[in-house]
Amino acid sequence: MKKVHNFSAGPCILPQEVLKKASEAVVNFDDLNLSLIEISHRSKNVVAVMEKAQNLVRELLNVPANYEILFLQGGASLGFYTAALNYLSKDGKAVYVNTGTWAKKAIKEAKLVGNIEVVASSEDDGFKYIPKGFNIPADADFLHITTNNTIYGTQYPEIPKSPVPIIADMSSDIFSRPVNVSDYAMIYAGAQKNMGPAGTTLFIVNKDLLGKTGRTIPSMLDYQLHIDKESMYNTPPVFPIYVSMLTLDWLKNLGGVPAIEKINAEKAAAMYAEIDRNPLFVGYTAVEDRSKMNATFNLVDDTHKELFDSMWKEAGISGINGHRSVGGYRASMYNALPLESVQALVKVMQEFEEKVSVKA
Amino acid sequence: MKKVHNFSAGPCILPQEVLKKASEAVVNFDDLNLSLIEISHRSKNVVAVMEKAQNLVRELLNVPANYEILFLQGGASLGFYTAALNYLSKDGKAVYVNTGTWAKKAIKEAKLVGNIEVVASSEDDGFKYIPKGFNIPADADFLHITTNNTIYGTQYPEIPKSPVPIIADMSSDIFSRPVNVSDYAMIYAGAQKNMGPAGTTLFIVNKDLLGKTGRTIPSMLDYQLHIDKESMYNTPPVFPIYVSMLTLDWLKNLGGVPAIEKINAEKAAAMYAEIDRNPLFVGYTAVEDRSKMNATFNLVDDTHKELFDSMWKEAGISGINGHRSVGGYRASMYNALPLESVQALVKVMQEFEEKVSVKA
């Protein structure tokens, strides 16, 4: 079959070797002659998967000892609510930066919990940039940011210097660049971009800052309880965690986060160079805030849209339509996407330019 | 490799043909030359999976039109909390029956939401029976029951006649026998027994009874929002839902719930007949409340425990150790367990009896 260049925005491309191992485990896991998905989550084999996944996160991101690593359910969307529930004190406040759809949802859910102040927003300009130089009150419980904004294609070039611990939704750029975990109260991320399939969410939580809210938290929403139960308070999503473990192991073998950061920079450079060079395309976001994960761009002239769409489809390219809320195009270049796929898209953009200029 | 008789209490045995199809979809789904777990949940192929899974639930359980079918995350454990959040009115009360560990957890989480009354309990006798003839106040918002209690091996032989709608945690016996859905405000069930792998939870919710609590519900915990978004408010756990769809399709092809009910009755009859006949074993629960899903039993004399354990392991039997909180043995006979596996266990119990009597 024809090679597919998978630019899907998430769930997204995973390494071929991971898919192969995952497929095998569904019929015969660890030579038990049983499937991974039909055995107890408390069996030593499944417990070993959970522990290995946690250890890989700790190793890949240099997670300090006072942080715990949890694999939970509900997505970052449930994290929007539980972040505030676990870290916002009853009489305190938290400050949020609004950089797009997901940040807005985080703000909305946190407001159900307590006092939230939005200290910066780029909504006035279609979320095309990342706000900078905003004031972060030193008495806030935390600052919440969304490090990469998949829909608009923006990414914090640098994490703000903050006088208070940061909570960051890193769903779409975790494991793509180094992180100084000590700056954070919590980092959370849905698995389905750089970590694995949909169905589990990574939480890296600062233990020292828990238990200070003054409220009773329902069991399944309580990070401390999940820490006490080692992410096994109830049956965890075994398969998504297993595939995440395989993906993190693949990343480790590749050279870890510094190695993938270099590859991601190469892919992004090739992609944006073509967007900037090619007179038929224009980038969507402010140049300095461009995401290395999601390149968003538009046709300068939409009359050639049909031609371009037929050309990239013909080349085996998949998933570059922009998010339904902004239109245009979005090339998502997550960790597992090979440079070769970016080169294939660039080639199509160049051939498209030739065809259009011949017509003109 | 040797055939394994998989009596795991959950996650548990799934049909071989389901595992094979699931394994294939992890490398190439719907002949897309892409994995099921690396494409958008909004692609038409994944949306079709979600719709087929919902339709199969509706068909297999004859779900009326005023009920919606949701596949969510968080397990029944999160359902303990959201059940009350969505159906218990601010000034109302709900009544619960305490039949074991899971029922107790449901009660604990619901108490965080509002006024809960426990109208019956079998805790006084180690949860060996299902309470009967208790009073259900007609002014309660709902009655909550746990239809099958995996740890103790009890199951409601009949659902109580209730003047108020029932909410039932059917995690461990859904799709094993017919259900009159109209009696319920809600039915919920973790997938990992009779429906699929861990990582998704089925909710069958009566729409007409929603929106009456008088409280604001966080987005991810709000059934109405999930109904409005067709279980795709955020990225759903695609793989667990896909495997659930395959398992429900397998059940449909087998003849549906009436067919499996008959098979389950045969398996349970064979199992309990041997427990009752064999002088070396004794059942744990009241005979009239025995679960057709989980048969719990003990050795009359523990001195032969080592011999029995070595014999069943030798026969390829897996997963019959009792839950760590009660000990003894538990043979879980979920839908996908073949009669042949029960017969293999019965044979071992008989051979064990012979060996012990020779020794004596």
Side-chain angles (χ1 to χ4, degrees):
Chain A
M1 280 178 83
K2 195 161 81 175
K3 162 86 182 169
V4 179
H5 298 290
N6 183 2
F7 285 90
S8 179
C12 69
I13 187 166
L14 292 171
Q16 280 298 316
E17 64 179 78
V18 166
L19 297 173
K20 190 165 170 291
K21 283 181 196 165
S23 170
E24 286 164 8
V26 172
V27 286
N28 185 7
F29 171 57
D30 271 5
D31 278 328
L32 296 171
N33 208 17
L34 288 168
S35 167
L36 169 70
I37 61 176
E38 61 170 355
I39 62 175
S40 173
H41 55 293
R42 301 198 188 277
S43 65
K44 70 177 190 316
N45 305 68
V46 175
V47 169
V49 167
M50 178 67 92
E51 286 173 357
K52 188 171 175 188
Q54 287 167 331
N55 290 339
L56 281 163
V57 173
R58 195 172 288 282
E59 192 181 340
L60 287 164
L61 296 180
N62 298 310
V63 178
N66 59 325
Y67 288 74
E68 290 285 342
I69 291 153
L70 304 172
F71 290 95
L72 305 179
Q73 293 187 63
S77 291
L78 186 55
F80 298 156
Y81 182 62
T82 60
L85 212 52
N86 284 271
Y87 284 109
L88 173 56
S89 60
K90 254 179 147 169
D91 305 318
K93 72 169 171 188
V95 297
Y96 278 64
V97 182
N98 179 13
T99 52
T101 301
W102 302 108
K104 278 176 88 162
K105 289 189 177 187
I107 292 164
K108 183 183 168 213
E109 300 307 314
K111 280 185 172 168
L112 298 176
V113 177
N115 187 11
I116 300 300
E117 192 183 318
V118 179
V119 289
S121 170
S122 52
E123 191 164 15
D124 58 350
D125 193 21
F127 296 118
K128 287 180 179 168
Y129 69 97
I130 298 289
K132 288 164 202 86
F134 47 84
N135 182 52
I136 305 165
D139 62 342
D141 286 340
F142 61 82
L143 162 71
H144 184 284
I145 60 171
T146 314
T147 52
N148 185 73
N149 300 278
T150 44
I151 294 176
Y152 310 95
T154 62
Q155 185 178 27
Y156 280 79
E158 279 175 28
I159 301 304
K161 294 265 170 272
S162 171
V164 301
I166 303 172
I167 293 184
D169 173 5
M170 294 193 186
S171 291
S172 54
D173 67 353
I174 196 158
F175 300 115
S176 74
R177 58 178 178 178
V179 175
N180 184 24
V181 175
S182 308
D183 292 340
Y184 297 82
M186 179 174 87
I187 293 166
Y188 63 118
Q192 67 271 12
K193 318 280 188 187
N194 281 334
M195 194 173 82
T200 192
T201 308
L202 171 66
F203 290 82
I204 304 174
V205 300
N206 184 324
K207 286 190 284 192
D208 303 341
L209 300 177
L210 290 174
K212 298 181 192 304
T213 64
R215 69 173 65 83
T216 304
I217 302 175
S219 298
M220 282 296 291
L221 310 179
D222 183 0
Y223 299 152
Q224 186 61 55
L225 182 140
H226 288 296
I227 291 171
D228 296 343
K229 301 292 182 179
E230 298 173 333
S231 289
M232 291 226 190
Y233 172 68
N234 70 337
T235 314
V238 174
F239 182 80
I241 293 170
Y242 177 72
V243 183
S244 297
M245 181 274 277
L246 294 177
T247 308
L248 295 174
D249 207 32
W250 164 86
L251 178 56
K252 181 185 168 183
N253 292 332
L254 199 80
V257 172
I260 201 78
E261 185 188 27
K262 202 161 154 277
I263 297 170
N264 287 335
E266 254 185 290
K267 289 185 287 182
M271 191 66 231
Y272 287 115
E274 180 60 19
I275 292 170
D276 290 341
R277 187 208 61 78
N278 194 316
L280 302 184
F281 294 98
V282 59
Y284 178 77
T285 73
V287 170
E288 69 273 19
D289 298 329
R290 280 174 165 175
S291 167
K292 289 194 169 68
M293 298 285 101
N294 316 93
T296 47
F297 55 100
N298 291 311
L299 283 167
V300 172
D301 177 354
D302 259 351
T303 54
H304 304 299
K305 182 169 166 47
E306 211 173 310
L307 173 65
F308 181 57
D309 288 352
S310 69
M311 287 179 70
W312 59 259
K313 282 174 191 167
E314 179 58 31
I317 286 164
S318 164
I320 67 161
N321 282 316
H323 188 271
R324 60 196 185 286
S325 64
V326 297
Y329 298 98
R330 171 171 56 169
S332 295
M333 305 171 287
Y334 295 115
N335 281 359
L337 186 87
L339 177 60
E340 174 203 352
S341 289
V342 174
Q343 289 164 338
L345 176 55
V346 166
K347 188 158 166 267
V348 168
M349 291 165 79
Q350 292 170 347
E351 288 168 356
F352 172 61
E353 184 193 6
E354 280 167 38
K355 281 211 183 177
V356 170
S357 65
V358 168
K359 279 191 182 173
Chain B
M1 282 179 81
K2 197 160 80 176
K3 163 85 182 168
V4 180
H5 297 289
N6 184 2
F7 286 89
S8 180
C12 70
I13 188 166
L14 292 172
Q16 280 299 315
E17 64 179 78
V18 166
L19 296 173
K20 190 165 169 292
K21 283 181 196 165
S23 171
E24 287 164 7
V26 172
V27 285
N28 185 6
F29 170 56
D30 271 4
D31 278 328
L32 297 171
N33 207 19
L34 288 168
S35 167
L36 169 71
I37 61 176
E38 60 171 356
I39 61 174
S40 172
H41 55 293
R42 301 198 189 278
S43 65
K44 67 178 194 316
N45 305 69
V46 175
V47 169
V49 168
M50 178 67 91
E51 285 173 357
K52 187 171 177 187
Q54 288 168 331
N55 290 340
L56 280 163
V57 173
R58 194 171 290 280
E59 190 181 340
L60 286 164
L61 295 180
N62 298 311
V63 178
N66 59 325
Y67 288 74
E68 290 284 342
I69 291 153
L70 304 172
F71 290 94
L72 305 178
Q73 293 187 63
S77 291
L78 186 55
F80 298 156
Y81 182 61
T82 59
L85 212 52
N86 284 272
Y87 285 109
L88 173 56
S89 60
K90 256 178 146 170
D91 305 318
K93 71 170 173 187
V95 297
Y96 278 65
V97 182
N98 179 13
T99 52
T101 300
W102 302 108
K104 278 177 89 162
K105 289 188 177 187
I107 292 163
K108 183 181 168 216
E109 301 306 316
K111 281 186 172 168
L112 298 176
V113 177
N115 187 13
I116 299 300
E117 192 184 318
V118 178
V119 290
S121 170
S122 52
E123 191 164 16
D124 59 348
D125 194 22
F127 296 117
K128 287 180 179 168
Y129 68 98
I130 298 289
K132 286 165 204 84
F134 46 84
N135 183 50
I136 304 165
D139 62 344
D141 286 340
F142 61 82
L143 162 72
H144 184 284
I145 61 171
T146 313
T147 52
N148 185 72
N149 300 278
T150 44
I151 295 176
Y152 310 96
T154 62
Q155 185 178 27
Y156 281 80
E158 280 175 27
I159 302 303
K161 295 263 170 274
S162 170
V164 299
I166 302 172
I167 292 185
D169 173 6
M170 294 193 186
S171 291
S172 55
D173 67 353
I174 195 157
F175 300 115
S176 74
R177 58 178 178 178
V179 175
N180 184 25
V181 175
S182 308
D183 292 341
Y184 298 82
M186 180 175 85
I187 293 166
Y188 63 118
Q192 67 270 13
K193 318 285 186 183
N194 282 336
M195 194 174 81
T200 193
T201 308
L202 171 67
F203 291 81
I204 304 172
V205 300
N206 184 325
K207 288 191 283 191
D208 304 340
L209 300 177
L210 289 174
K212 299 181 193 301
T213 64
R215 70 173 65 83
T216 304
I217 301 174
S219 299
M220 282 296 291
L221 309 179
D222 182 0
Y223 299 152
Q224 187 60 55
L225 182 139
H226 288 296
I227 291 171
D228 296 343
K229 301 291 182 179
E230 296 174 335
S231 288
M232 290 227 190
Y233 171 69
N234 70 340
T235 313
V238 174
F239 181 81
I241 294 170
Y242 177 71
V243 183
S244 298
M245 181 274 277
L246 293 177
T247 308
L248 295 174
D249 206 32
W250 165 84
L251 179 56
K252 181 185 167 182
N253 292 332
L254 199 81
V257 172
I260 202 76
E261 185 188 29
K262 202 161 156 273
I263 297 169
N264 287 335
E266 252 185 292
K267 290 186 288 182
M271 191 67 232
Y272 287 116
E274 180 60 20
I275 291 170
D276 290 342
R277 185 209 62 77
N278 193 317
L280 302 184
F281 294 98
V282 58
Y284 178 77
T285 73
V287 170
E288 68 274 19
D289 298 327
R290 281 174 166 175
S291 167
K292 289 194 168 66
M293 298 285 103
N294 316 93
T296 48
F297 55 100
N298 291 290
L299 282 168
V300 172
D301 178 353
D302 258 351
T303 54
H304 305 299
K305 180 168 169 48
E306 212 173 309
L307 174 64
F308 181 58
D309 288 352
S310 69
M311 287 179 70
W312 59 261
K313 281 173 191 167
E314 180 59 33
I317 286 162
S318 166
I320 68 161
N321 281 316
H323 188 271
R324 60 196 185 287
S325 64
V326 298
Y329 298 97
R330 170 172 55 168
S332 294
M333 305 170 289
Y334 295 115
N335 281 0
L337 186 87
L339 177 60
E340 173 201 352
S341 289
V342 173
Q343 289 164 338
L345 175 55
V346 165
K347 187 158 166 266
V348 168
M349 291 165 79
Q350 292 170 348
E351 288 168 355
F352 171 61
E353 184 193 5
E354 278 167 39
K355 279 210 184 176
V356 170
S357 65
V358 168
K359 278 190 180 173

